[in-house]
Amino acid sequence: SQQGEEDPQALSIQEGENATMNCSYKTSINNLQWYRQNSGRGLVHLILIRSNEREKHSGRLRVTLDTSKKSSSLLITASRAADTASYFCATDGGGADGLTFGKGTHLIIQP
Amino acid sequence: KAGVTQTPRYLIKTRGQQVTLSCSPISGHRSVSWYQQTPGQGLQFLFEYFSETQRNKGNFPGRFSGRQFSNSRSEMNVSTLELGDSALYLCASSLAHREGEKLFFGSGTQLSVL
């Protein structure tokens, strides 16, 4: 079953603009991770935020986590054409279900 | 260091057949997880192996099985294939799949069932 739900499902912006994607989940988590997937390929880990953290940065990426609202956001600043991909949030509840992924946001960066 | 290797990259089978997919994890990684990705259901967890033992299993029928060898390489098998089994099957490895570890994914095996 899907725990994370990304919003929007698709996003198209101009190169250089910022892109924001949101993720909501349903149950308590130990951590939340964001992954990127280029068309038809494997997923690449971007960033992990633990349940006791509120914000984390990595290069042009900024992730926030609000456990009271069970939501997270991923901000990509100064977007580039190479950022075109699908982005997934994945929750780790520490149970036996592995990581639970949302259905992803498909991001298109227009040159 | 080589990444996660999945073979074959593409596979076409017919209903009723069985299929075996292979995954070689990153050297030193002892945990291997399998995920099924479809446009309708997204990414769904199949199972996870650590040190040749299945530790966790997702909500899939018994037609889906797997195993892990002493060198950490893993295979998954799907018997009596159905049209709905058409999907991208992704393998991921980690050191020990402890809480907070990130997963390293292979490029996947695209299975088409006709």
Side-chain angles (χ1 to χ4, degrees):
Chain A
S1 63
Q2 300 300 125
Q3 153 113 286
E5 292 291 336
E6 286 90 343
D7 170 54
Q9 289 187 342
L11 179 62
S12 179
I13 61 173
Q14 295 294 124
E15 195 166 20
E17 294 181 337
N18 295 342
T20 299
M21 288 157 271
N22 302 297
C23 167
S24 59
Y25 57 92
K26 296 173 185 169
T27 61
S28 63
I29 60 171
N30 290 333
N31 65 72
L32 185 144
Q33 304 179 33
W34 285 89
Y35 287 80
R36 183 188 74 216
Q37 183 179 35
N38 289 89
S39 180
R41 309 293 291 183
L43 282 74
V44 175
H45 182 270
L46 294 176
I47 195 166
L48 178 152
I49 187 165
R50 298 187 185 281
S51 59
N52 61 353
E53 297 175 310
R54 291 296 167 258
E55 187 171 312
K56 205 160 182 180
H57 296 253
S58 176
R60 294 185 296 113
L61 306 180
R62 172 178 167 254
V63 169
T64 62
L65 179 64
D66 186 336
T67 53
S68 66
K69 295 181 180 177
K70 292 186 169 56
S71 67
S72 172
S73 68
L74 171 67
L75 168 68
I76 303 174
T77 60
S79 63
R80 306 166 181 169
D83 295 329
T84 294
S86 292
Y87 292 81
F88 296 86
C89 67
T91 53
D92 184 352
D97 296 334
L99 288 182
T100 305
F101 287 84
K103 291 198 174 183
T105 292
H106 185 50
L107 176 65
I108 298 171
I109 308 299
Q110 309 274 8
Chain B
K1 200 183 245 189
V4 179
T5 304
Q6 290 189 247
T7 56
R9 183 76 178 93
Y10 300 95
L11 207 47
I12 299 175
K13 292 285 187 179
T14 56
R15 277 183 302 173
Q17 287 187 310
Q18 75 164 20
V19 66
T20 299
L21 312 181
S22 179
C23 172
S24 293
I26 290 172
S27 178
H29 285 193
R30 295 167 64 191
S31 170
V32 173
S33 302
W34 289 89
Y35 288 82
Q36 181 197 65
Q37 185 177 26
T38 59
Q41 298 298 316
L43 281 146
Q44 296 190 89
F45 172 72
L46 280 157
F47 27 65
E48 186 242 337
Y49 286 87
F50 178 79
S51 292
E52 302 178 66
T53 302
Q54 186 182 90
R55 283 204 299 200
N56 298 308
K57 189 176 191 306
N59 189 25
F60 277 83
R63 299 185 297 107
F64 291 81
S65 63
R67 59 178 175 169
Q68 187 180 33
F69 302 95
S70 58
N71 62 358
S72 294
R73 190 178 70 86
S74 177
E75 289 181 347
M76 69 162 280
N77 184 277
V78 188
S79 62
T80 319
L81 283 165
E82 301 178 359
L83 295 178
D85 297 333
S86 294
L88 179 66
Y89 289 88
L90 292 163
C91 161
S93 77
S94 64
L95 283 168
H97 201 34
R98 294 191 194 94
E99 188 273 320
E101 273 189 58
K102 63 183 181 182
L103 298 184
F104 294 83
F105 282 83
S107 295
T109 294
Q110 184 68 55
L111 172 65
S112 297
V113 181
L114 306 178

